[in-house]
PDB file of all heavy atoms in Angstrom:
ATOM      1  N   VAL Q  51      21.829  36.816 -40.488  1.00  0.00           N
ATOM      2  CA  VAL Q  51      21.927  35.447 -39.838  1.00  0.00           C
ATOM      3  C   VAL Q  51      20.812  34.665 -40.352  1.00  0.00           C
ATOM      4  O   VAL Q  51      19.669  35.053 -40.299  1.00  0.00           O
ATOM      5  CB  VAL Q  51      21.976  35.566 -38.311  1.00  0.00           C
ATOM      6  CG1 VAL Q  51      22.073  34.129 -37.744  1.00  0.00           C
ATOM      7  CG2 VAL Q  51      23.029  36.458 -37.762  1.00  0.00           C
ATOM      8  N   PRO Q 194      -0.676 -36.948  51.201  1.00  0.00           N
ATOM      9  CA  PRO Q 194      -1.294 -37.497  50.004  1.00  0.00           C
ATOM     10  C   PRO Q 194      -2.336 -36.605  49.371  1.00  0.00           C
ATOM     11  O   PRO Q 194      -2.465 -36.563  48.159  1.00  0.00           O
ATOM     12  CB  PRO Q 194      -1.861 -38.818  50.539  1.00  0.00           C
ATOM     13  CG  PRO Q 194      -0.988 -39.138  51.713  1.00  0.00           C
ATOM     14  CD  PRO Q 194      -0.627 -37.847  52.341  1.00  0.00           C
ATOM     15  N   GLN Q 277      -6.390 -21.340   8.774  1.00  0.00           N
ATOM     16  CA  GLN Q 277      -6.168 -20.059   9.498  1.00  0.00           C
ATOM     17  C   GLN Q 277      -7.431 -19.327   9.885  1.00  0.00           C
ATOM     18  O   GLN Q 277      -7.524 -18.729  10.982  1.00  0.00           O
ATOM     19  CB  GLN Q 277      -5.284 -19.124   8.612  1.00  0.00           C
ATOM     20  CG  GLN Q 277      -3.851 -19.704   8.271  1.00  0.00           C
ATOM     21  CD  GLN Q 277      -3.088 -20.068   9.500  1.00  0.00           C
ATOM     22  OE1 GLN Q 277      -3.189 -19.344  10.473  1.00  0.00           O
ATOM     23  NE2 GLN Q 277      -2.241 -21.036   9.425  1.00  0.00           N
ATOM     24  N   PHE Q 374     -16.597  -8.421  18.581  1.00  0.00           N
ATOM     25  CA  PHE Q 374     -15.398  -8.501  17.633  1.00  0.00           C
ATOM     26  C   PHE Q 374     -15.957  -8.861  16.314  1.00  0.00           C
ATOM     27  O   PHE Q 374     -16.673  -9.865  16.161  1.00  0.00           O
ATOM     28  CB  PHE Q 374     -14.384  -9.480  18.109  1.00  0.00           C
ATOM     29  CG  PHE Q 374     -13.641  -9.054  19.400  1.00  0.00           C
ATOM     30  CD1 PHE Q 374     -14.111  -9.456  20.623  1.00  0.00           C
ATOM     31  CD2 PHE Q 374     -12.546  -8.248  19.298  1.00  0.00           C
ATOM     32  CE1 PHE Q 374     -13.442  -9.052  21.781  1.00  0.00           C
ATOM     33  CE2 PHE Q 374     -11.920  -7.748  20.401  1.00  0.00           C
ATOM     34  CZ  PHE Q 374     -12.340  -8.184  21.653  1.00  0.00           C
TER      35      PHE Q 374
END
Side-chain angles (χ1 to χ4, degrees):
V51 179
Q277 298 302 328
F374 289 95

